[in-house]
Amino acid sequence: MTDILTNLRNISGDTYVLSGNDDRKAFDTDVFGDKIGSSLAVVRPANTDEVAAILKLAHETGTPVVPQGGNTGLAGGATPTADTTQIVLSLARMNAIENINPETRTATVQAGVILQNLHDAVAKHDLIFPLIFGARGSCMIGGNISTNAGGSNVLRYGNTRALVLGLEVVLPDGRVMNLMNALYKNNTGYALKDLIIGAEGTLGIITRAVLQLHPAPVARATALLSVASLPAALTLLRKLQDASGGAVEAFEFMPENHMQGYQNLNPDRTLPLETPGAVNILTELGATSQLLARPGDDGRPLIENLLEDVLTDGFENGDILDAAIAQNDSQRDAFWHIRESAYEVATSDGPAIDFDVSVPLDQVETFLDQAAKRLASVVPGMRKTIVSHLGDGNIHYGVLPENNRNGIAPALKTKVMEVVEDLVTELNGSFSAEHGIGTSKRPSMARQKDPVALDAMRAVKAALDPQNIMNPGKVLP
Amino acid sequence: MTDILTNLRNISGDTYVLSGNDDRKAFDTDVFGDKIGSSLAVVRPANTDEVAAILKLAHETGTPVVPQGGNTGLAGGATPTADTTQIVLSLARMNAIENINPETRTATVQAGVILQNLHDAVAKHDLIFPLIFGARGSCMIGGNISTNAGGSNVLRYGNTRALVLGLEVVLPDGRVMNLMNALYKNNTGYALKDLIIGAEGTLGIITRAVLQLHPAPVARATALLSVASLPAALTLLRKLQDASGGAVEAFEFMPENHMQGYQNLNPDRTLPLETPGAVNILTELGATSQLLARPGDDGRPLIENLLEDVLTDGFENGDILDAAIAQNDSQRDAFWHIRESAYEVATSDGPAIDFDVSVPLDQVETFLDQAAKRLASVVPGMRKTIVSHLGDGNIHYGVLPENNRNGIAPALKTKVMEVVEDLVTELNGSFSAEHGIGTSKRPSMARQKDPVALDAMRAVKAALDPQNIMNPGKVLP
């Protein structure tokens, strides 16, 4: 033990090896305060060479290593477990944006860059890195990549995997693997980059990345809608995509009780819709074509005219029941506040059994209907919270049993998880759409994942990390 | 031997096991007729169960298996080697388009579907599967996926990997791995789908896939341009992307000697440009927004007005020297004929040493300048053929030594490959952009690929195919 601490101090300096309980606490505890591990030490390397030296040491001593970025993950992947021999390797000091190239629209960054800082830096070039979600002020790029983070505009720009051109990875034995290319075509062997992305630090540690940037939209059109049904919403999405040439940046579903819950929490705010119904949609189009930003006959940008045309059509055929279009940024912010209050709305009624699932786009309604039916007998008096990135089939589904404020019995939780996840599997969906596996979803992996695929994953893990020192106890059951 | 043939016949039926020399010839020979292998037999299974049974047999007997689709690959990946114990497993009979879902814009297909047949089938729904290249009339989807095929509109739609949502794969031991999801978010463990894509059949056999379809463009604008320089072309590309909202479907570079070579081969055709210069660009915009298809003031679609605006701007600042915009489909076809004659132009002057490389977008000019300089002393009197998917940094570069019609000395070929590929590596590029490795680029893998990445690939291969029976002798050096 002492040897390892001494060696870590020799690598990164005394200041950057934290072994006291108080110093380690923030690193040992997950974002909810639910999962509390107990590491031997936290080491905070300054650069790739130090990461490599630490992993070489870990390799030689069989020491388990937990890579950590902003520690904002929702599945426990970045938090140490109870094993007191683990060291947490924090990437937080490796926070340089090394290069932004406006000509190729790429950025080269270290793993510890906070997502919001990258957003701010590329905005100066009228560019965006289109990964956006609540934790952006503290999550780090390395963690985003390790979890293949999603969010609300995957619909347009893809998951994190689609935004990463190159990676530098330190393998479990301390060797540095250089995949740092800014290339759009590169068929030179196996897709190691894609394999490392989403592996949640179990195959190696991401130290640097080349990221794809996109032009910032030059105009936006944002609407809150009450739609006749989920199939009508899917039709509307297609019409918006066709009218705008794929410029739909968000297509978010909120059911009636979300709107009601939001109103209860925000009694001073007036809901933009006079008659929120069963299916409320927040949609936003982002014009990246300058043409769509030009003023139309009414002086408003063409992208807004285009949105209005689709909505008018939807009113006429009965697909749309009510609509509000944001007339300015403060109205837009007010619309988004309703969606972004999902966490507050969901938790205002006490703890829930939470799911982050996805199904094929045309199966969302079936999922919601069937889940309600099958859970009715399992959870008497059940309430539920739902918000959905409907445009990509991702549903955040929360089940609140009666008397949930007094705690939820583990047996009930397990039963509910089985019912919901069995349904998801029947519908050819995913039991973890964007939050990953970490420790929380390992039982689901064991139950739901194709056993042949699980075996293949275990073979890959054993091949690249034969000592099982990289983030052990995560991802694979 | 006899046992294996008997067993194969028991699995797929006598008709579908070919062991005679004449029967095997087309399967044993690559598309150029250069690479001629000698398999034990060709087996043509009807479905996934038969593929699984064949691989189980291969696993039990240690028999090497070469998966084959349309056998149109340019790197030898689908053709057997000299090892006479190999069996070729042809997917050609598994040619069903199982489902096209216009609501979710996805297709479920078997691996043996010919690409053009899928194009035709989805066109009926006003959809496209946007993978397009010369071999589309005979290449098969399974091979496209196995090689992560590219083409000229990767710029807009990505490589094959970006178009595949789900896969069914038979592993080397005959087990079927089910990754057949039509999901946009699915973070349940390692990216096995991405790992199999581009593995050229060395990790298992793709039997079915779920593919992402896209809306067909509702209008197009196509232009042939003479541009002042390659950096000016890159600026132009960005302006076109910004004006159109990323609707650039092709941005192809052809140097002066390509235009001249084309004219020589087609003396009866008039080149659309009066003054082709050093940098000629064929670009095409595809309007997927209905708005961009509406007629402008001059009655032509707005997407064409938009193209004209950017070109006018380019003329004024001197970036563009000459331009022709296609006024109808036959003019468009004539423009594309110049680009699609690349093979005929390149080979009209005898055999070449061919490269399929990519570099970062802003390094194409440096590559061309440096390659010419460094090769001058190596290849006296050198001529070269160049066409480039400039929009994605992919350059098809051919070196023609003096007296090449009498054959090219292997030592010279090796030397030229080293010079060009060393340069590509210096520029952080790829020595195989879209054609893959097969057998042709294995020496390049050994020389140029990051050795740590190579080791990781070898570990993955050994983990998933410990007997090395899947397409041995391909990809890994």
Side-chain angles (χ1 to χ4, degrees):
Chain A
M1 295 291 203
T2 315
D3 267 354
I4 287 172
L5 290 180
T6 305
N7 280 317
L8 290 176
R9 290 187 182 114
N10 287 341
I11 294 168
S12 290
D14 289 2
T15 315
Y16 299 113
V17 179
L18 315 174
S19 58
N21 278 341
D22 288 351
D23 291 339
R24 290 187 287 99
K25 193 173 177 187
F27 299 87
D28 280 357
T29 310
D30 87 330
V31 65
F32 296 127
D34 284 349
K35 300 182 181 74
I36 303 175
S38 187
S39 63
L40 173 68
V42 177
V43 58
R44 306 178 65 213
N47 52 46
T48 301
D49 286 349
E50 290 186 16
V51 175
I54 295 164
L55 287 200
K56 187 162 177 289
L57 172 68
H59 175 70
E60 286 164 2
T61 56
T63 305
V65 178
V66 182
Q68 191 175 92
N71 197 16
T72 61
L74 301 176
T79 313
T81 60
D83 174 359
T84 54
T85 68
Q86 290 172 104
I87 54 173
V88 174
L89 190 156
S90 166
L91 280 303
R93 288 177 66 213
M94 294 179 58
N95 61 0
I97 298 173
E98 297 179 354
N99 174 258
I100 295 171
N101 185 335
E103 284 196 33
T104 57
R105 294 182 169 166
T106 55
T108 305
V109 301
Q110 294 181 340
V113 169
I114 288 174
L115 180 56
Q116 183 67 56
N117 292 348
L118 180 63
H119 287 170
D120 295 345
V122 303
K124 292 170 194 159
H125 302 276
D126 294 325
L127 295 170
I128 58 170
F129 180 65
L131 188 65
I132 296 190
F133 45 83
R136 60 186 176 270
S138 48
C139 68
M140 294 173 193
I141 298 289
N144 301 153
I145 298 173
S146 287
T147 56
N148 187 30
S152 59
N153 54 13
V154 165
L155 177 60
R156 183 166 196 178
Y157 300 100
N159 292 286
T160 302
R161 186 174 281 115
L163 303 171
V164 177
L165 295 174
L167 283 185
E168 179 184 82
V169 181
V170 182
L171 293 182
D173 60 6
R175 288 182 303 165
V176 180
M177 181 163 73
N178 177 7
L179 308 170
M180 286 289 279
N181 298 304
L183 301 175
Y184 296 92
K185 286 180 173 170
N186 183 16
N187 279 345
T188 53
Y190 302 156
L192 297 174
K193 179 187 73 179
D194 295 299
L195 183 64
I196 297 291
I197 297 172
E200 303 186 29
T202 62
L203 299 178
I205 296 185
I206 295 166
T207 44
R208 294 164 69 225
V210 182
L211 304 175
Q212 172 73 71
L213 307 175
H214 286 265
V218 285
R220 283 199 177 84
T222 311
L224 193 65
L225 312 170
S226 167
V227 178
S229 67
L230 283 167
L234 192 57
T235 302
L236 176 65
L237 172 60
R238 279 199 308 275
K239 287 184 178 173
L240 286 171
Q241 294 287 34
D242 291 348
S244 68
V248 181
E249 303 230 325
F251 198 81
E252 302 284 310
F253 161 52
M254 297 164 288
E256 191 164 14
N257 74 340
H258 175 87
M259 306 302 275
Q260 190 57 55
Y262 177 81
Q263 183 72 87
N264 294 345
L265 287 180
N266 300 275
D268 53 327
R269 295 210 183 208
T270 307
L271 283 183
L273 292 177
E274 286 174 29
T275 53
V279 180
N280 306 286
I281 300 285
L282 173 62
T283 188
E284 184 160 282
L285 309 187
T288 44
S289 161
Q290 288 150 353
L291 183 66
L292 292 178
R294 287 186 200 162
D297 295 340
D298 60 356
R300 313 229 9 123
L302 279 175
I303 187 115
E304 211 174 289
N305 294 171
L306 177 159
L307 171 64
E308 282 168 355
D309 288 351
V310 174
L311 298 186
T312 302
D313 185 50
F315 269 112
E316 282 169 9
N317 70 24
D319 279 353
I320 297 178
L321 310 176
D322 194 3
I325 296 181
Q327 300 298 311
N328 50 50
D329 280 352
S330 85
Q331 285 189 7
R332 176 181 177 242
D333 291 346
F335 290 10
W336 272 104
H337 191 252
I338 302 173
R339 173 62 184 84
E340 291 186 338
S341 299
Y343 180 78
E344 289 74 20
V345 172
T347 54
S348 64
D349 212 8
I353 307 164
D354 285 317
F355 298 91
D356 161 42
V357 302
S358 69
V359 293
L361 296 188
D362 56 353
Q363 299 296 316
V364 173
E365 184 175 44
T366 305
F367 169 79
L368 293 174
D369 287 352
Q370 283 293 317
K373 271 185 198 137
R374 296 186 193 184
L375 287 172
S377 59
V378 179
V379 192
M382 171 178 100
R383 293 148 297 147
K384 50 189 184 291
T385 65
I386 298 166
V387 289
S388 163
H389 306 299
L390 190 64
D392 55 41
N394 182 190
I395 307 158
H396 297 300
Y397 190 79
V399 175
L400 294 86
E402 278 185 317
N403 304 318
N404 60 319
R405 286 185 191 277
N406 303 327
I408 301 172
L412 179 64
K413 186 170 174 179
T414 300
K415 180 66 189 162
V416 169
M417 285 184 76
E418 286 175 3
V419 169
V420 172
E421 293 180 351
D422 283 353
L423 171 60
V424 167
T425 299
E426 277 174 43
L427 297 175
N428 232 340
S430 169
F431 58 87
S432 185
E434 60 179 6
H435 296 168
I437 305 300
T439 51
S440 321
K441 299 289 177 192
R442 284 172 81 215
S444 311
M445 279 287 270
R447 273 199 306 266
Q448 303 293 345
K449 193 75 189 175
D450 177 63
V452 180
L454 262 187
D455 273 2
M457 289 182 200
R458 289 193 182 102
V460 168
K461 167 74 172 173
L464 296 179
D465 180 21
Q467 292 188 96
N468 191 27
I469 59 169
M470 283 308 313
N471 215 6
K474 311 289 167 60
V475 181
L476 294 176
Chain B
M1 296 293 202
T2 316
D3 266 357
I4 287 171
L5 289 180
T6 305
N7 281 316
L8 290 175
R9 290 188 182 114
N10 286 340
I11 293 167
S12 291
D14 289 2
T15 314
Y16 300 113
V17 179
L18 316 174
S19 58
N21 278 341
D22 288 351
D23 291 341
R24 289 188 286 99
K25 193 174 176 186
F27 300 87
D28 280 357
T29 309
D30 87 330
V31 65
F32 296 128
D34 284 349
K35 300 182 181 76
I36 303 174
S38 186
S39 62
L40 174 68
V42 177
V43 57
R44 306 179 64 213
N47 53 46
T48 301
D49 285 350
E50 290 186 16
V51 176
I54 295 163
L55 288 199
K56 186 162 178 289
L57 172 67
H59 175 70
E60 287 164 0
T61 56
T63 303
V65 178
V66 181
Q68 191 175 94
N71 197 16
T72 62
L74 301 177
T79 312
T81 60
D83 174 0
T84 54
T85 68
Q86 290 173 103
I87 55 174
V88 174
L89 191 155
S90 165
L91 281 303
R93 287 177 66 212
M94 294 179 58
N95 60 1
I97 297 173
E98 296 179 354
N99 175 259
I100 295 171
N101 185 335
E103 286 196 30
T104 56
R105 292 178 170 169
T106 55
T108 306
V109 300
Q110 294 181 341
V113 169
I114 288 175
L115 180 56
Q116 183 67 56
N117 293 348
L118 180 62
H119 287 169
D120 294 345
V122 304
K124 293 171 193 158
H125 303 275
D126 293 325
L127 296 170
I128 57 169
F129 179 65
L131 188 65
I132 296 190
F133 45 83
R136 61 185 175 272
S138 50
C139 68
M140 293 174 192
I141 297 290
N144 300 154
I145 298 174
S146 288
T147 55
N148 186 31
S152 60
N153 54 13
V154 165
L155 177 61
R156 181 166 196 178
Y157 301 100
N159 292 286
T160 302
R161 186 174 280 114
L163 303 170
V164 177
L165 295 174
L167 283 186
E168 179 183 83
V169 181
V170 182
L171 293 182
D173 61 5
R175 288 182 302 165
V176 180
M177 181 163 74
N178 177 6
L179 309 169
M180 284 290 279
N181 299 304
L183 301 175
Y184 296 93
K185 286 179 173 171
N186 183 16
N187 279 344
T188 53
Y190 303 155
L192 297 174
K193 180 187 71 178
D194 296 298
L195 183 64
I196 297 290
I197 298 171
E200 303 186 28
T202 62
L203 300 178
I205 296 184
I206 294 166
T207 44
R208 294 164 69 225
V210 182
L211 305 175
Q212 172 73 71
L213 307 175
H214 286 265
V218 285
R220 284 198 177 86
T222 310
L224 193 65
L225 313 169
S226 168
V227 179
S229 67
L230 284 167
L234 193 57
T235 303
L236 176 67
L237 172 60
R238 279 199 307 275
K239 286 185 179 172
L240 286 171
Q241 293 287 32
D242 291 349
S244 68
V248 181
E249 304 230 325
F251 199 80
E252 302 283 309
F253 161 51
M254 297 164 288
E256 192 164 13
N257 73 339
H258 174 87
M259 306 303 273
Q260 190 57 55
Y262 176 81
Q263 184 73 85
N264 293 347
L265 286 180
N266 300 274
D268 52 327
R269 296 210 182 209
T270 308
L271 282 184
L273 292 177
E274 285 173 31
T275 53
V279 180
N280 306 285
I281 300 285
L282 172 62
T283 187
E284 183 160 283
L285 310 186
T288 45
S289 162
Q290 288 150 353
L291 182 67
L292 292 178
R294 286 186 200 163
D297 294 339
D298 60 355
R300 319 249 339 143
L302 280 176
I303 187 111
E304 211 175 289
N305 294 171
L306 178 159
L307 171 63
E308 282 168 353
D309 289 351
V310 174
L311 298 187
T312 302
D313 186 51
F315 269 112
E316 283 169 7
N317 70 24
D319 279 353
I320 297 178
L321 310 176
D322 194 3
I325 296 181
Q327 299 298 311
N328 50 50
D329 280 353
S330 85
Q331 285 189 6
R332 176 183 175 239
D333 291 346
F335 289 11
W336 273 104
H337 191 253
I338 302 172
R339 172 63 183 83
E340 291 185 339
S341 299
Y343 180 78
E344 289 74 20
V345 172
T347 54
S348 64
D349 212 7
I353 307 165
D354 286 317
F355 297 91
D356 161 42
V357 303
S358 69
V359 292
L361 295 188
D362 56 353
Q363 299 296 315
V364 173
E365 185 175 42
T366 306
F367 168 79
L368 293 175
D369 288 352
Q370 283 294 316
K373 271 185 200 139
R374 297 186 191 184
L375 287 171
S377 58
V378 178
V379 192
M382 172 176 99
R383 293 147 297 148
K384 50 190 186 286
T385 64
I386 299 167
V387 290
S388 163
H389 307 298
L390 190 64
D392 56 41
N394 182 189
I395 307 157
H396 298 299
Y397 191 79
V399 175
L400 294 85
E402 277 185 317
N403 305 317
N404 60 318
R405 286 183 192 276
N406 301 326
I408 301 172
L412 179 64
K413 186 170 174 179
T414 301
K415 179 66 188 162
V416 169
M417 286 185 74
E418 286 176 4
V419 169
V420 172
E421 293 181 350
D422 284 352
L423 171 60
V424 166
T425 299
E426 275 175 45
L427 297 176
N428 232 341
S430 169
F431 58 86
S432 185
E434 60 179 8
H435 295 166
I437 305 301
T439 51
S440 321
K441 298 289 178 192
R442 286 172 79 216
S444 311
M445 280 287 272
R447 273 199 306 265
Q448 303 292 345
K449 192 75 189 174
D450 177 64
V452 180
L454 262 187
D455 272 1
M457 288 182 200
R458 289 194 182 101
V460 168
K461 168 73 173 175
L464 296 179
D465 180 21
Q467 292 189 95
N468 191 27
I469 59 170
M470 283 307 313
N471 216 5
K474 312 290 167 61
V475 181
L476 295 175

